[in-house]
Amino acid sequence: MSIPLPLRFSREVSEARQTGAPLVALESTIITHGMPWPDNLTTARAVEDEVRASGAVPATIAVLDGVIHIGLDPDQLEKLAQGKDAAKLSRADIAACIARGGTGATTVAATMICANTARIPVFATGGIGGVHRGAETSFDISADLHELAQTPVTVVSAGPKAILDIPKTLEVLETLGVPVIAYGQNELPAFWSRKSGLQAPLRMDSPAEIAQAHRMRAALGLPGGQLVGNPVPRDAEIPLEQIAPLIDQALAEAEARNIGQKLVTPFLLSHILGLTGGRSLTTNIALVRNNARLAAKIAIELAGSGST
Ligand code: PSU
Ligand code: MN
């Protein structure tokens, strides 16, 4: 027997659903575990504004007191950004959190699940989780990858986070049948850097092309989504040669401190923020905003008549 899902839409999202306006899902782990206060709040607001300015409606997703919220009002967003107790929810623990009335931020995987439930086909984030370096011994592979294989949402990112093992991440995505699309260039971007040194399996140059490929997967009956790698704007990029040694330093520190499981990615991001003197955060903010703009354009295409 199934029970009703506790689901609430913000007023802005409800209106968009009624009129058929294009919606863009946004995640909340980047707010609670990816950026420090108060930049997390100003960024979350700026990202929502980018979506609006591009002609779509933002739906920031989180679990608050046991209810999935699709779209947060300003007070809810501020409370989440300020609080320290929100869990980091993925596929494995989102149902348990809702069942016990808990509060949690959604990762890429959990946001895809909620977006799909709300029939929102496009989602903007910073960087997806993937295969961690040393995964051959730690087995640390983000649930984001398996989600992309089974949930039909197109995720706009700036590529896999450069803290990961990007070649292995690409291999797993290929095995799982996930289309990996570089936007406007041949090379897969690597989060803070426009280059990763690796060719992307697919390249697309317009939102319409990405939207049409999304529809074609549905037409084929394929279950998963698509991963778009949208390179960070040039003026905000940190070149790979510059960030690479700092990533190595942060990884060594994580190992020395025995950081594991869900704490790995938040630890590395905040440690790299310190090592770059804040520059990695400035870049992170620029790339999420850039992804929000592209996601809105894809959402507009997908909300159209269906013929591009
Ligand atoms: N993008 C960012 N910052 C983040 C994340 C994405 O710019 O903090 C989050 C996403 O929620 C993603 C998560 O799902 O990092 C990956 O965590 P893990 O490696 O533990 O699966
Ligand atoms: Mn992990």
Side-chain angles (χ1 to χ4, degrees):
M1 199 193 74
S2 84
I3 53 171
L5 184 67
L7 188 67
R8 195 159 301 155
F9 298 99
S10 67
R11 179 197 289 252
E12 190 184 16
V13 171
S14 284
E15 284 171 9
R17 283 162 61 85
Q18 275 161 22
T19 59
L23 281 155
V24 172
L26 300 168
E27 62 146 312
S28 45
T29 293
I30 187 169
I31 302 172
T32 56
H33 293 73
M35 290 183 187
W37 170 267
D39 304 83
N40 60 348
L41 179 60
T42 51
T43 304
R45 286 182 177 147
V47 170
E48 289 195 345
D49 285 341
E50 292 284 7
V51 173
R52 292 187 189 102
S54 306
V57 175
T60 302
I61 294 177
V63 175
L64 306 179
D65 301 321
V67 177
I68 298 177
H69 282 69
I70 310 287
L72 301 179
D73 65 37
D75 289 349
Q76 290 169 330
L77 193 65
E78 182 164 350
K79 202 170 155 207
L80 188 73
Q82 224 167 0
K84 293 186 172 48
D85 305 325
K88 175 181 166 186
L89 301 175
S90 191
R91 167 170 279 261
D93 44 15
I94 185 168
C97 177
I98 298 166
R100 61 168 71 111
T103 290
T106 50
T107 58
V108 167
T111 306
M112 288 178 75
I113 292 169
C114 297
N116 188 43
T117 300
R119 301 202 196 298
I120 303 175
V122 189
F123 159 29
T125 180
I128 60 150
V131 181
H132 281 265
R133 302 194 199 173
E136 56 275 28
T137 50
S138 70
F139 276 52
D140 188 349
I141 300 175
S142 177
D144 292 353
L145 301 185
H146 287 88
E147 206 57 55
L148 279 161
Q150 55 188 313
T151 303
V153 174
T154 287
V155 178
V156 181
S157 73
K161 292 196 202 69
I163 54 174
L164 301 165
D165 186 322
I166 299 182
K168 286 196 184 72
T169 301
L170 270 182
E171 290 295 345
V172 171
L173 286 167
E174 188 189 11
T175 302
L176 293 172
V178 176
V180 178
I181 303 159
Y183 186 64
Q185 64 181 33
N186 295 327
E187 207 168 308
L188 185 72
F191 198 63
W192 297 291
S193 320
R194 293 172 63 86
K195 294 186 171 166
S196 63
L198 297 163
Q199 285 280 116
L202 295 163
R203 169 185 175 154
M204 293 186 193
D205 293 319
S206 72
E209 219 180 330
I210 297 168
Q212 189 65 352
H214 179 106
R215 287 196 200 97
M216 199 55 75
R217 284 185 63 88
L220 271 169
L222 297 176
Q226 311 189 102
L227 176 63
V228 178
N230 184 27
V232 60
R234 262 190 195 85
D235 58 0
E237 150 168 69
I238 308 179
L240 204 53
E241 318 80 77
Q242 271 178 42
I243 194 100
L246 306 179
I247 293 172
D248 290 343
Q249 231 175 299
L251 285 164
E253 190 64 29
E255 204 180 323
R257 294 200 209 175
N258 222 353
I259 307 279
Q261 299 176 322
K262 282 176 185 266
L263 297 175
V264 175
T265 297
F267 174 85
L268 292 173
L269 291 178
S270 85
H271 205 73
I272 290 167
L273 189 156
L275 292 174
T276 58
R279 193 165 159 218
S280 65
L281 179 61
T282 307
T283 302
N284 200 346
I285 294 168
L287 65 84
V288 196
R289 293 178 68 151
N290 189 43
N291 294 342
R293 291 191 287 270
L294 177 56
K297 290 180 194 152
I298 299 167
I300 291 166
E301 290 291 338
L302 283 172
S305 63
S307 61
T308 38

